[in-house]
Amino acid sequence: MEGAPATGSARKSSALAGGPSARALGARGRAARTKGVVLKALGASIKGNLEREWFGSPPHRAAISRPRPVGLAAHPHDPRPVDVERGRQLLDGLLVLDGGAVRLGETGDPFDQASPTRQFATALHGFDWLPHLMAAGPGSARLALRLLQDWRRVFGVWNAFSWSGERLERRTFHLACAARALSPEASDAEISAMALDIARGARQLLKASDAPHRRLERAVVVTIAGCALSGKASDRLITQGLKRVNALLDAVVLPDGGHASRSPEAGLELLFDLLTLDDALGQRGRPQPESLTRAIDRLSSSVRFFTLADGCLAAFQGGEAIEPRRIAAALAHDDPGPRPPQTAPHVGYQKMQGGSLQVMADAGAPAVGVLSVTACAQPAAVEIVFGKDRLITSCGWSPEAVGANAFRLSGAASTVSVGDGSAGRPLSGWRSDALGPWLVDGVTEVEVKRHDADVGVWLDIVHDGWRRLGLTHARRLYLDLKADELRGEDSLIPIGSANPDGPRRYLPFSVTFHLHPDARASLARDGKSVLIKGPSNVGWWLRNDAVDVAITPSAHFDHGQSRPAGAILLKSQVRPEKGAKIRWKLARAADH
């Protein structure tokens, strides 16, 4: 592997290079970063408290109500697939959302009763039910108008939960997309109230600072809302929204199409919103900015890159394994074109394609600051797919998941963990309340080398996520194209010039392979080798030189709901002054 070309934004720091002052420099850097986070949290907390007081005041409510929109204009099309059955259930009096269900009957008001879970309440106030209901046929528009009136009666003035975060953003988006379809069944008063709801929601999105990681997504929704309205209110919102969109697009959508948060799912969802915006601008006869067209093309290419052989999206950095139907809807506008690249150097991922095995590797540092609220401390994590079988994955954590932040740590993905710690951690307590659950103390430097040859693909990933323990982690992967097998070597390498003859201390470490819920594993008689099988029942041997091997229960999240799964742990010990390694190989079982 020596001399293999470096790819992407690979960087090499003093921590990776070694040197006697590397650990001291790292400690000083962490102290400075901690102080900076505290100051930012204090500022955000003060600003948030002031905003909440002001947003609930009559002068602010009056300000976001003027000028009143004249009426409705465009009917933006959201290409996301809808679930007609959920809409029919709502017509029958059963409201089903991610996180639970509520029986409403014929006249029940879901906004005037307790929600079964916070996830359900978020979806309820985000109007996630509205697109499904609108697709359900006769009677849906009338029921939607009644539910809108129910919401307006209880929450239409101001409420800190309903008027903040993604609840406000998604509600404004869904209402802007549905308003024209609702208007034939609505009275003039109801149309006027809907238009005002859209305008007030959009103006609030422009003023609030409670979700800085979604500034672009909010600007897109503001512009869509402006397109759905008519009059001066419409023109102002389109102008303000487009100005922000143009300022933010190239920073959030990276040159290879990855979302700056590094979440594949975030990129997919942004693509849906931009396609809706593109349609809305076209209906209004407005020229589409060049940056919008460029971002749609890049995101489409990125979605293809992140779609694995099983048809689902790769589940990394706060994104779940989105199903093929949703991916197909996002790409329906576009000609597939040439085969997508095998590397995404700007967003930091590498794909390896063998005869039947496919590997996706996280080869970048997690996002920092405001974009890190869904980042995961899981450097060098991999997902492995055989045909349509996703064998090795992660816990699939996303913001929808219950139990939340523990699944953002290193042990929740298929990578290396040392001791009982993690290569980074989410903020907690008052700092998290003020800033959101930023990821801190994570990887800062990653070096990536890749070499593609006729016989196979080499990939080396080296990162400093364990620098506080005086170690770097080097993961070497080799996908043998002829043998159709994957070989791996995970090494923990000492930083600096610690005395190898000094006092001995040993830390447990493990290489974890999280199984997909549809995959199963069994330990061989030798107590080392593990047989893995997916739904196709083809067997794969995971052989290794670890000191101990165990198969333990785990969890995997789909739409925020936990499914039982398993995890394979290859265990050993490391002396930080000397380092250690575990080698492993995934090869097809001979009987197949």
Side-chain angles (χ1 to χ4, degrees):
M1 187 61 194
E2 292 298 323
T7 63
S9 56
R11 299 161 295 176
K12 192 168 186 178
S13 70
S14 59
L16 295 182
S21 62
R23 296 180 67 176
L25 288 171
R28 287 199 293 271
R30 287 194 298 274
R33 287 192 295 271
T34 299
K35 182 179 179 181
V37 168
V38 169
L39 292 175
K40 289 177 181 177
L42 282 171
S45 180
I46 293 169
K47 185 175 183 179
N49 289 332
L50 291 174
E51 281 190 345
R52 282 188 290 273
E53 289 296 323
W54 170 244
F55 291 157
S57 69
H60 174 74
R61 295 201 300 270
I64 63 173
S65 299
R66 298 188 182 93
R68 294 181 69 92
V70 174
L72 301 174
H75 180 194
H77 170 65
D78 177 11
R80 292 175 176 87
V82 296
D83 188 340
V84 177
E85 181 57 31
R86 281 197 179 188
R88 291 172 179 160
Q89 288 174 325
L90 184 50
L91 282 174
D92 292 335
L94 179 66
L95 176 58
V96 179
L97 295 170
D98 292 339
V102 169
R103 173 66 65 179
L104 300 178
E106 293 185 4
T107 59
D109 179 0
F111 301 102
D112 200 21
Q113 58 181 289
S115 292
T117 66
R118 183 179 177 86
Q119 184 183 352
F120 182 97
T122 296
L124 174 66
H125 286 266
F127 285 14
D128 290 1
W129 45 269
L130 185 54
H132 308 304
L133 177 59
M134 294 302 297
S140 58
R142 194 67 254 168
L143 176 56
L145 289 167
R146 179 178 71 78
L147 292 173
L148 291 179
Q149 177 58 36
D150 290 340
W151 174 84
R152 196 179 294 120
R153 184 182 64 254
V154 181
F155 295 101
V157 176
W158 168 257
N159 174 269
F161 177 81
S162 187
W163 280 77
S164 63
E166 290 188 58
R167 297 167 289 280
L168 172 63
E169 176 194 310
R170 291 295 99 189
R171 181 172 66 250
T172 304
F173 176 89
H174 289 312
L175 194 51
C177 292
R180 276 292 297 274
L182 291 170
S183 60
E185 293 285 332
S187 66
D188 289 345
E190 287 173 323
I191 292 174
S192 178
M194 273 195 300
L196 185 58
D197 287 339
I198 295 169
R200 294 178 71 226
R203 290 168 186 150
Q204 180 65 24
L205 288 172
L206 287 171
K207 294 180 180 297
S209 64
D210 60 305
H213 64 293
R214 295 190 66 83
R215 288 186 66 212
L216 173 58
E217 287 81 355
R218 287 187 163 193
V220 171
V221 172
V222 167
T223 315
I224 293 170
C227 291
L229 302 174
S230 60
K232 289 183 178 180
S234 165
D235 294 337
R236 290 183 184 179
L237 288 174
I238 293 174
T239 299
Q240 291 172 304
L242 278 180
K243 182 178 180 181
R244 289 196 182 186
V245 168
N246 285 325
L248 295 168
L249 260 180
D250 286 339
V252 175
V253 181
L254 302 179
D256 55 18
H259 192 283
S261 70
R262 303 194 65 242
S263 164
E265 184 180 359
L268 174 68
E269 294 303 314
L270 178 57
L271 175 58
F272 277 126
D273 284 356
L274 294 183
L275 290 170
T276 307
L277 173 58
D278 184 67
D279 177 70
L281 290 171
Q283 290 186 37
R284 291 299 301 271
R286 297 264 186 156
Q288 285 85 348
E290 182 182 341
S291 60
L292 174 61
T293 303
R294 184 170 60 246
I296 289 174
D297 290 343
R298 288 176 174 176
L299 286 166
S300 300
S301 176
S302 179
V303 168
R304 287 193 174 86
F305 170 79
F306 283 118
T307 301
L308 299 184
D310 63 349
C312 298
L313 210 63
F316 288 98
Q317 295 297 320
E320 295 188 3
I322 305 302
E323 67 273 14
R325 177 174 175 239
R326 198 169 181 88
I327 296 171
L331 297 177
H333 71 284
D334 195 32
D335 185 348
R339 180 183 177 186
Q342 298 297 292
T343 66
H346 298 278
V347 72
Y349 288 92
Q350 297 281 331
K351 184 188 286 186
M352 307 168 74
Q353 182 64 60
S356 64
L357 283 178
Q358 187 180 65
V359 182
M360 180 72 80
D362 185 334
V368 297
V370 296
L371 287 172
S372 72
V373 293
T374 62
C376 298
Q378 296 161 355
V382 296
E383 287 198 311
I384 303 174
V385 178
F386 159 67
K388 298 294 184 181
D389 296 353
R390 190 167 299 206
L391 303 175
I392 305 301
T393 182
S394 67
C395 286
W397 176 86
S398 75
E400 294 183 4
V402 180
N405 287 329
F407 293 96
R408 298 171 64 188
L409 304 181
S410 302
S414 297
T415 186
V416 163
S417 295
V418 184
D420 57 359
S422 177
R425 60 184 175 83
L427 288 178
S428 59
W430 72 273
R431 292 180 299 171
S432 178
D433 293 338
L435 294 172
W438 287 14
L439 191 74
V440 295
D441 298 337
V443 173
T444 59
E445 302 293 340
V446 182
E447 182 182 2
V448 182
K449 292 183 179 180
R450 177 183 177 125
H451 181 70
D452 292 89
D454 293 338
V455 295
V457 183
W458 286 96
L459 180 64
D460 278 342
I461 305 171
V462 185
H463 68 84
D464 66 347
W466 300 102
R467 61 191 178 278
R468 63 184 176 81
L469 299 177
L471 295 165
T472 60
H473 170 212
R475 167 161 276 187
R476 169 168 285 190
L477 302 172
Y478 177 65
L479 187 57
D480 189 321
L481 302 183
K482 184 176 180 180
D484 199 21
E485 64 184 29
L486 176 67
R487 302 170 204 160
E489 180 179 283
D490 285 290
S491 303
L492 293 170
I493 304 168
I495 296 173
S497 54
N499 181 9
D501 298 320
R504 295 188 177 185
R505 61 187 181 107
Y506 292 91
L507 297 172
F509 81 99
S510 62
V511 181
T512 303
F513 296 93
H514 282 272
L515 298 167
H516 188 272
D518 296 332
R520 58 197 186 279
S522 55
L523 200 60
R525 292 179 182 176
D526 63 7
K528 288 282 193 72
S529 304
V530 180
L531 182 65
I532 305 171
K533 290 186 177 182
S536 67
N537 209 38
V538 175
W540 291 85
W541 281 113
L542 179 65
R543 306 188 190 278
N544 61 89
D545 62 2
V547 173
D548 187 29
V549 179
I551 301 175
T552 64
S554 182
H556 184 81
F557 290 96
D558 281 328
H559 298 293
Q561 303 301 308
S562 177
R563 295 178 60 190
I568 303 167
L569 272 65
L570 311 183
K571 303 178 183 179
S572 188
Q573 289 186 321
V574 58
R575 187 179 170 198
E577 295 79 14
K578 298 193 72 171
K581 70 174 63 174
I582 291 178
R583 292 172 294 186
W584 49 271
K585 180 174 76 172
L586 187 66
R588 193 180 299 211
D591 59 339
H592 289 283

